Amino acid sequence: MSAGADGVELRRAELAEAWRDPPGLWGFLVTVDHKRLAARYIVTTMFLLFLAGLLAMDMRIQLSAPGLHRMGPQLYNESFSLHGSTMLFLVSVPVMEAMALWLVPLMLGQRNMAFPRLAAFSYWLYLGGALMLWVPHALDITPDLGWFEYPPLSGPGYAPGHRVDIWAQMITFTEVAALAASVNIIATILKLRPPGMTLARMPLFLWAMLIASLMTIFALPAIMLTTSMLIADRLVATHFFSPSGGGDVLLFQHLYWFFGHPEVYIIFIPAVGFVSSIVETFSRRPIFGYPAMVLSVLAIGVLAFGLWVHHMFAVGLPRLGNDFYTAASMTIALPAGVQIFCWIATIFSGRPRMATPLLWVVGFLVTFVIGGMSGIMTASAPLDLQLTDTYFVVAHFHYVLVGGAIFPLLGAFCYWYPKATGRLMSERLGVLAFALIVGGFNIGFFPMHVLGLWGMPRRVYTYPAEMGWGPLNMLATIGSTIAVIGGLVFVANALWSYWRGERAGADPWGGHTLEWLCPSPPPSYNFDSTPTVRSITPLWEPELLAYDGIATTKRELLVTSVMEAEPIYRQNSVGPSIWPLVAAVAVSILFVGSIFTPWALVWGALPIAITLSLWFWPTRERAKTGPLRKR
Amino acid sequence: MMNDRAEPRIIGDLSGLPESAQGPDHLVWWGNIGFMLIEGTGFALALGAYLFLASRSAHWPPPDDPLPGLMWSGILTIGLMLSEVPNLWVKRRAAAHDAGSVRIGVVIMTVIGLVLLVVRGFEIAVLVPSWNHDAYGSMVWLLLVLHTSHILTDCGDTFVQALWLYTHEIGDDQFADVEDNADYWTFVVVAWLPLYAVVYWLPRLA
Amino acid sequence: MGGTGSMRRGAALVPVMLLVGACSGVQSPLAPAGEQAADQLWLFQLMLWVCGILYLLVVGFLGLALVRVFRNTSRLAEPELAPADRTLDRSLLVWASIIIAGLTLLAGASFVVDRALAAAQAREALRVRVTAHQWWWRIAYRDPASGRWVETANELHLPAGRTARIELASADVIHSFWVPNVAGKMDVIPGRANAIDVTPHRLGWFRGQCAEFCGVQHAKMAFDVKVDTPAEFAAWLATQARSAAAPADPVAARGFQIVTQGQCAMCHVVRGTAAAGRPGPDLTHIASRRSIAAGILSMNRGNLQGWIAQPQALKPGTMMPAVTLEPGDADAVAHYLEQLK
């Protein structure tokens, strides 16, 4: 820990050595560097977004005129099933987790996540899930009953073969990966905060990830349970969902939506965190109404668990229940509305300047709120009886998911791209991509509200000419095409800027959170020293203070207390390891095998047990005493 | 631009901090808690599913299904509760960094786990409606299999831990691991109690 | 709620008129032909106004904020660390109050409409049994004369001004019964006895469609709905209750023979003949219907023949098997079926 310029260089060299990965392919397979893992996670999700987008274009072309025969019903049904399943299980939730994986340690001034190998395991298992869905597609056994395959249609009586099992098990993969990521994020945010960053001084993005991760823990077991029950009904003749055996098909729906509704907020809340970060930086002031913002996200996180029946208003449940869920579903508009006010108020009362990230925030506001409005409409049980299962609700959920999650995500890409790569994305291409995507999306999806009101149900591969739905469908196709072109422009911008973009320093936007302290791109060890914070806007303080003392010659993390972020101890941080990959392979074998036979649970458990034991095998010296001592 | 920022000013040195901690101070404790929350939610939802199906049936268990037997389940339940005594003892010894007691204690817990697994095996063997007979059978088997998987994996964990403790010098982090494992066993015991009450007693009282 | 319906229907129709423009209007909640749909449309219009105002407030505020953005130079301003936010604090409270007021109004209106929908149950004057199959609708009425249940398929007739209780059952998977002009949808769930009350008040032909994904031909599981005067309805029902007309000529007799003694009889009922198969739709009065194959083909001779010969080409995945007949036989069958009015 020597002072002076030489001291700084020595320190950095030591840190680089301690935190480096082995070179080449082996390094790629064993790395536990959160930035590298997050990068591949994001690239994978974006590739799957592209594939899901191709499916969407296929469907849009098929629907652009009545009675087209370009796609038959089987192919169309596979397309919407694959599109929905990919977007919800393989893109939306994973990309938010991936962004958190990249950003959380940086925003905390830390060198890595709490459980580095768990982060790697999460990625490999997620990749397994992506393969679980798309390899069967290449083999023409694509799941074809939607993204929430209700029994009995998905039960043993009406869905022979293994398509449903493939779908259900893909969910198991991705949900275990998501749960692993969530535990990691929660432990990191609660225990690895820099000294002085009390909960009340935490950036809103970290609040958002904390709450989204907690929601994940309580929501995802529901879908794992229900899809496992579905596989059991199909594989070993249980009767969970068969009425003739005393089961109930509604049990599937209740469990599914108990997960399904929080799931969309699990996607939305991190996006809310992106928006807050961007708004603060570009308004040059801390967010207006920080306590209201925190309470709003908490309220949304809690309320989200009390709404699921609004996906089942047409099922014939008792009226009083429907009334309750109408009121609850409308109530969630209040914290959402408060947040929207606070963001706009921040821009209004700050010293704002425009750049692409803020442009995406504007796109988010004008688009997502439309989705919020259609959400209020579908929240009403009696009105929903007309709107549900039509293109109105297709419009609604695309508005909230694309407007509420994808637009903030694209803004977040533009915002943190310079930190990750050391270069700025092109503003000109950025504005063009924005205009094409936001404009194209609205042209494409607004007409769908009208189509639903004109009686067009969802999940139909064609429709009769005499219904008059043709022109608006054609408009929807045109708009979607424009948006896709915009997406390609965005990707082109990202690729071009990687090599040719204007160089960015550590803090091109003048942000106030800790990630802007380290160089762009960050070195493997992120920070030279341990920053400490005294306010909600550390980098806007006149002077930044830091602690020394965390080891530079080995991997070490500072662990602090949950509430006050006082330093407690120094935790050894694990280095590169092959075990996450091996464990993921072992788990994948069990998951895939259990589609075909329940015995897979037995023989598949053995490799997992061995792998996990080796993973967690502590590396200390051999015992010097006792019957098994080193002799 | 903010790019040319001065290096932060060093105001202290943290190298004097200890290298481990106990209980909630320790980082890994939180991972353990997270896992318990996940599994606990799973149990709660499975229990909810059981109660949902029960509420939709006129008779529960259905008329041709007998009530589940109390003998083996009772032995198991009492056995689980009694196992908390050595379990909490191991945890205290681990907190005190008593290597000798911890080694023996973890072996004892492994043996207890195996014995209870055998008892659970009998409990399942005498379950009359099989999982494919009707929804009642499916649900009871689901709850029991879910819980059994926890006894099994915890037993495996404890065995591996015992092996490791005997072959290596034990550091602070490993004592913390023993405590976490003991906490997880407590979770397995506590999670069983509402399942036991609902599956074995609720139909008898209703 | 019924009497004040016209007043509510008249209110605030401007935004709706714009929307009704290009569509056919026979499968749309925007052109109510029933009490339930009228109440739902009223609620929708109220929501459109409230949500529209809220949206304009948001966009307006955003616009004001953006004016500030574009007035700024591109120079990176010094951040303001402790801004005074008193006016904004008060505005937030006002905004929250507006939201609460708006949501309360909409939730209240929603409850009111919900009660109105529920009140229909007290006025039930007719029972109809609808059984959903993959991918067609079995529809049954009780014949007042004989007390027996009379079956037809894919065409629902209802008397105007009367409340009908539609009892829903599924023969296989989950479907959803939806006639948007008349009422909202109700899922048809195996193992569950759902029902929906509908009170049509406008005469004419409408279209219903399955609204829950039910397999490969979910897209082509529609049905025609005719709202008759009570007298017309009674007459129609009386006709449907009769057994099948006997073949009127030798060609029809040949067709009769093939239909009632060949493979058709395994799946179809023609009442009064030997054909008594249950898996498929009742054909006793098929020629009286407007369409065949669950609302996707007009009822005419060409379509009948095409459907019989190549159902997979018209509705891939359908349960109807391709029936290969000599051209003369095919003509005869179509000729016979055309007579089953």
Side-chain angles (χ1 to χ4, degrees):
Chain A
M1 330 285 176
S2 35
D6 285 344
V8 172
E9 283 312 310
L10 175 62
R11 209 186 148 73
R12 288 183 182 158
E14 285 173 348
L15 282 167
E17 178 58 32
W19 287 88
R20 74 174 178 79
D21 283 328
L25 177 63
W26 180 248
F28 180 86
L29 295 176
V30 301
T31 183
V32 293
D33 182 336
H34 71 100
K35 301 179 290 300
R36 290 186 72 184
L37 292 171
R40 73 183 64 158
Y41 225 133
I42 292 170
V43 167
T44 313
T45 58
M46 289 299 99
F47 178 63
L48 286 161
L49 172 65
F50 170 70
L51 291 180
L54 288 180
L55 289 168
M57 282 315 304
D58 246 348
M59 291 191 281
R60 278 300 348 142
I61 293 173
Q62 164 66 12
L63 290 177
S64 52
L68 287 184
H69 294 291
R70 193 177 159 274
M71 290 170 93
Q74 178 58 29
L75 187 56
Y76 186 88
N77 297 345
E78 288 176 11
S79 296
F80 76 71
S81 308
L82 199 54
H83 171 81
S85 301
T86 299
M87 287 305 302
L88 282 149
F89 296 114
L90 298 176
V91 176
S92 307
V93 172
V95 77
M96 297 304 175
E97 283 164 0
M99 293 291 288
L101 184 59
W102 186 79
L103 202 45
V104 167
L106 291 174
M107 236 185 225
L108 291 174
Q110 272 288 2
R111 298 205 166 116
N112 207 343
M113 298 285 293
F115 307 121
R117 288 173 302 186
L118 194 61
F121 175 74
S122 170
Y123 174 74
W124 293 120
L125 205 59
Y126 157 76
L127 183 63
L131 293 171
M132 181 84 217
L133 190 62
W134 281 85
V135 166
H137 180 51
L139 299 174
D140 212 20
I141 34 171
T142 320
D144 58 354
L145 301 178
W147 80 276
F148 48 82
E149 310 199 343
Y150 286 165
L153 184 60
S154 59
Y158 296 95
H162 287 296
R163 294 179 196 240
V164 173
D165 308 304
I166 287 167
W167 171 82
Q169 213 58 307
M170 174 276 295
I171 287 175
T172 312
F173 269 100
T174 53
E175 306 314 11
V176 174
L179 285 167
S182 297
V183 169
N184 212 350
I185 291 168
I186 292 172
T188 308
I189 292 178
L190 288 182
K191 294 294 290 175
L192 294 183
R193 296 204 306 280
M197 187 187 277
T198 62
L199 288 174
R201 289 188 191 141
M202 215 163 65
L204 286 174
F205 174 71
L206 293 177
W207 272 111
M209 283 319 306
L210 179 62
I211 289 165
S213 301
L214 280 167
M215 291 174 70
T216 304
I217 285 182
F218 290 113
L220 263 57
I223 197 180
M224 287 196 56
L225 189 63
T226 204
T227 51
S228 301
M229 287 158 82
L230 182 64
I231 295 179
D233 263 17
R234 294 170 55 82
L235 196 60
V236 293
T238 47
H239 295 277
F240 296 113
F241 309 126
S242 62
S244 56
D248 194 334
V249 302
L250 289 188
L251 177 60
F252 182 90
Q253 294 190 24
H254 278 296
L255 281 172
Y256 195 93
W257 292 113
F258 183 81
F259 148 80
H261 192 76
E263 147 102 332
V264 303
Y265 288 97
I266 290 168
I267 296 170
F268 173 63
I269 285 175
V272 152
F274 297 151
V275 172
S276 295
S277 304
I278 295 171
V279 163
E280 285 182 311
T281 297
F282 284 87
S283 307
R284 319 298 298 138
R285 61 154 288 173
I287 197 93
F288 165 80
Y290 178 93
M293 291 293 284
V294 173
L295 286 174
S296 294
V297 184
L298 267 169
I300 291 175
V302 171
L303 272 173
F305 282 89
L307 308 185
W308 82 90
V309 177
H310 71 219
H311 298 268
M312 297 165 65
F313 278 150
V315 149
L317 296 177
R319 281 221 135 81
L320 211 57
N322 282 356
D323 286 346
F324 170 79
Y325 285 101
T326 293
S329 304
M330 290 201 187
T331 307
I332 208 164
L334 178 61
V338 164
Q339 289 186 304
I340 288 166
F341 182 93
C342 290
W343 286 316
I344 302 178
T346 307
I347 302 173
F348 177 80
S349 63
R351 296 165 180 164
R353 69 173 189 116
M354 181 54 75
T356 355
L358 192 64
L359 205 51
W360 282 107
V361 167
V362 173
F364 152 74
L365 286 167
V366 301
T367 311
F368 171 73
V369 178
I370 294 178
M373 297 300 134
S374 61
I376 292 176
M377 294 179 187
T378 49
S380 159
L383 184 55
D384 193 48
L385 294 179
Q386 289 284 16
L387 303 175
T388 192
D389 258 298
T390 68
Y391 262 80
F392 188 92
V393 91
V394 172
H396 161 71
F397 63 67
H398 281 92
Y399 262 85
V400 288
L401 284 171
V402 175
I406 300 287
F407 290 175
L409 180 71
L410 295 176
F413 279 166
C414 298
Y415 181 58
W416 278 297
Y417 186 93
K419 173 55 59 184
T421 61
R423 292 182 188 265
L424 287 157
M425 287 176 79
S426 152
E427 279 292 306
R428 294 237 311 277
L429 282 180
V431 173
L432 176 62
F434 170 84
L436 290 173
I437 292 174
V438 176
F441 171 79
N442 277 284
I443 294 171
F445 284 82
F446 197 85
M448 293 186 188
H449 294 108
V450 182
L451 281 171
L453 289 166
W454 285 0
M456 184 172 176
R458 61 187 283 203
R459 302 173 152 185
V460 292
Y461 72 100
T462 189
Y463 52 90
E466 42 294 2
M467 300 311 299
W469 298 333
L472 282 187
N473 267 294
M474 178 60 79
L475 187 59
T477 304
I478 292 171
S480 306
T481 312
I482 295 172
V484 167
I485 293 172
L488 294 172
V489 171
F490 190 95
V491 172
N493 188 1
L495 289 172
W496 180 88
S497 304
Y498 190 78
W499 286 280
R500 297 280 218 250
E502 180 191 333
R503 289 216 183 264
D507 191 5
W509 309 115
H512 68 74
T513 37
L514 288 176
E515 75 271 21
W516 302 107
L517 175 63
C518 61
S520 303
S524 55
Y525 54 86
N526 297 343
F527 297 90
D528 287 349
S529 53
T530 306
T532 174
V533 312
R534 291 172 295 170
S535 73
I536 239 172
T537 52
L539 261 61
W540 286 348
E541 299 295 319
E543 187 187 31
L544 192 62
L545 306 175
Y547 283 96
D548 208 343
I550 299 299
T552 54
T553 48
K554 63 177 173 128
R555 297 187 180 217
E556 202 170 69
L557 298 174
L558 172 67
V559 179
T560 56
S561 64
V562 171
M563 300 295 291
E564 297 301 317
E566 306 225 341
I568 302 179
Y569 77 102
R570 294 168 294 124
Q571 169 77 45
N572 237 7
S573 182
V574 177
S577 164
I578 193 63
W579 294 116
L581 174 54
V582 176
V585 170
V587 171
S588 304
I589 292 174
L590 181 143
F591 283 168
V592 175
S594 59
I595 288 176
F596 300 100
T597 161
W599 287 111
L601 290 172
V602 175
W603 48 252
L606 200 53
I608 296 178
I610 295 172
T611 330
L612 288 179
S613 301
L614 291 166
W615 172 335
F616 286 108
W617 199 253
T619 48
R620 289 186 70 86
E621 44 190 297
R622 286 292 311 277
K624 303 189 183 93
T625 59
L628 297 180
R629 68 182 176 278
K630 183 179 172 77
R631 293 168 206 277
Chain B
M1 276 267 208
M2 305 295 187
N3 285 317
D4 307 323
R5 180 191 303 285
E7 288 294 314
R9 182 163 66 86
I10 303 293
I11 57 165
D13 190 308
L14 298 170
S15 53
L17 287 176
E19 290 187 339
S20 186
Q22 289 178 325
D25 277 350
H26 196 265
L27 183 59
V28 180
W29 186 90
W30 293 85
N32 202 26
I33 292 294
F35 193 58
M36 284 187 217
L37 282 176
I38 293 169
E39 300 300 320
T41 305
F43 279 130
L45 290 166
L47 208 53
Y50 175 97
L51 292 169
F52 177 83
L53 287 179
S55 70
R56 314 270 308 142
S57 309
H59 301 280
W60 189 267
D64 59 340
D65 289 334
L67 287 169
L70 288 177
M71 186 182 81
W72 288 111
S73 60
I75 295 174
L76 176 78
T77 308
I78 293 171
L80 277 172
M81 293 196 287
L82 288 178
S83 73
E84 273 299 284
V85 174
N87 188 43
L88 291 173
W89 175 77
V90 171
K91 184 174 169 175
R92 280 197 304 274
R93 295 287 86 221
H97 291 195
D98 177 354
S101 302
V102 161
R103 278 174 169 160
I104 295 170
V106 173
V107 168
I108 292 174
M109 289 310 299
T110 308
V111 171
I112 290 176
L114 281 169
V115 168
L116 289 173
L117 262 179
V118 170
V119 175
R120 169 52 62 75
F122 282 114
E123 184 188 355
I124 291 181
V126 303
L127 267 185
V128 173
S130 79
W131 65 87
N132 54 8
H133 178 72
D134 57 11
Y136 172 76
S138 305
M139 278 309 317
V140 173
W141 274 81
L142 174 68
L143 291 171
L144 282 179
V145 166
L146 258 180
H147 189 259
T148 307
S149 69
H150 283 76
I151 302 183
L152 185 61
T153 50
D154 202 298
C155 199
D157 273 349
T158 314
F159 169 71
V160 170
Q161 199 169 69
L163 200 59
W164 189 90
L165 288 167
Y166 270 95
T167 53
H168 290 73
E169 289 294 301
I170 307 175
D172 288 350
D173 271 351
Q174 285 69 53
F175 281 118
D177 280 345
V178 172
E179 284 189 69
D180 284 342
N181 199 43
D183 281 341
Y184 201 80
W185 181 252
T186 304
F187 166 73
V188 171
V189 171
V190 168
W192 173 242
L193 299 177
L195 293 179
Y196 175 65
V198 169
V199 171
Y200 287 93
W201 287 99
L202 198 58
R204 290 182 155 88
L205 301 174
Chain C
M1 273 264 128
T4 55
S6 55
M7 180 177 81
R8 288 183 283 106
R9 269 173 248 142
L13 269 179
V14 171
V16 175
M17 295 299 246
L18 292 170
L19 298 176
V20 177
C23 84
S24 66
V26 299
Q27 189 175 313
S28 171
L30 295 179
E35 290 295 327
Q36 290 76 23
D39 288 341
Q40 287 158 334
L41 180 62
W42 172 83
L43 183 58
F44 175 70
Q45 288 164 344
L46 178 65
M47 293 232 175
L48 207 56
W49 278 108
V50 174
C51 292
I53 291 170
L54 288 174
Y55 185 69
L56 287 174
L57 286 174
V58 169
V59 171
F61 189 24
L62 179 62
L64 283 178
L66 289 178
V67 161
R68 296 209 54 189
V69 171
F70 288 107
R71 271 212 206 118
N72 255 346
T73 65
S74 58
R75 185 187 58 82
L76 194 61
E78 277 305 304
E80 196 179 344
L81 289 186
D85 284 331
R86 294 272 289 283
T87 323
L88 285 176
D89 284 338
R90 281 193 286 260
S91 307
L92 174 57
L93 286 174
V94 171
W95 173 242
S97 311
I98 293 175
I99 295 178
I100 293 174
L103 292 179
T104 309
L105 173 64
L106 295 181
S110 180
F111 297 157
V112 164
V113 170
D114 208 33
R115 290 293 162 274
L117 296 182
Q121 195 173 3
R123 304 191 308 265
E124 285 168 6
L126 170 69
R127 276 169 72 203
V128 185
R129 274 190 198 159
V130 172
T131 307
H133 293 249
Q134 280 176 319
W135 294 278
W136 61 278
W137 303 88
R138 185 193 303 273
I139 299 174
Y141 297 82
R142 182 167 249 134
D143 174 26
S146 64
R148 284 179 301 116
W149 284 90
V150 169
E151 280 192 1
T152 179
N154 300 323
E155 191 170 287
L156 177 70
H157 284 239
L158 296 169
R162 304 265 159 86
T163 300
R165 175 184 173 82
I166 317 277
E167 294 173 348
L168 301 165
S170 170
D172 36 47
V173 300
I174 300 178
H175 301 268
S176 192
F177 175 89
W178 188 38
V179 186
N181 290 81
V182 179
K185 56 186 69 73
M186 179 61 66
D187 284 356
V188 185
I189 298 175
R192 198 178 172 82
N194 277 351
I196 180 171
D197 294 306
V198 301
T199 314
H201 59 234
R202 182 153 60 90
L203 304 174
W205 282 100
F206 305 100
R207 192 171 184 265
Q209 193 169 353
C210 177
E212 182 66 56
F213 184 71
C214 54
V216 69
Q217 275 300 348
H218 164 67
K220 292 189 176 178
M221 187 173 158
F223 57 102
D224 294 304
V225 179
K226 177 84 186 341
V227 179
D228 292 317
T229 65
E232 284 168 357
F233 174 78
W236 173 84
L237 187 52
T239 314
Q240 294 292 314
R242 292 205 293 261
S243 296
D249 55 71
V251 178
R254 172 83 190 117
F256 168 85
Q257 193 187 36
I258 297 169
V259 168
T260 59
Q261 280 147 33
Q263 46 181 135
C264 313
M266 286 173 52
C267 294
H268 294 283
V269 169
V270 182
R271 261 179 283 125
T273 75
R278 298 285 297 160
D282 186 303
L283 299 179
T284 314
H285 296 280
I286 182 169
S288 72
R289 295 183 214 151
R290 209 182 183 215
S291 66
I292 59 170
I296 65 161
L297 299 167
S298 302
M299 169 59 213
N300 61 46
R301 183 162 176 145
N303 283 339
L304 270 177
Q305 284 194 260
W307 176 247
I308 294 168
Q310 291 190 351
Q312 296 299 330
L314 295 163
K315 195 167 168 180
T318 180
M319 308 288 191
M320 166 87 175
V323 180
T324 322
L325 297 169
E326 300 290 310
D329 286 345
D331 281 342
V333 165
H335 185 67
Y336 169 62
L337 291 174
E338 262 190 316
Q339 294 181 356
L340 293 178
K341 290 214 192 296

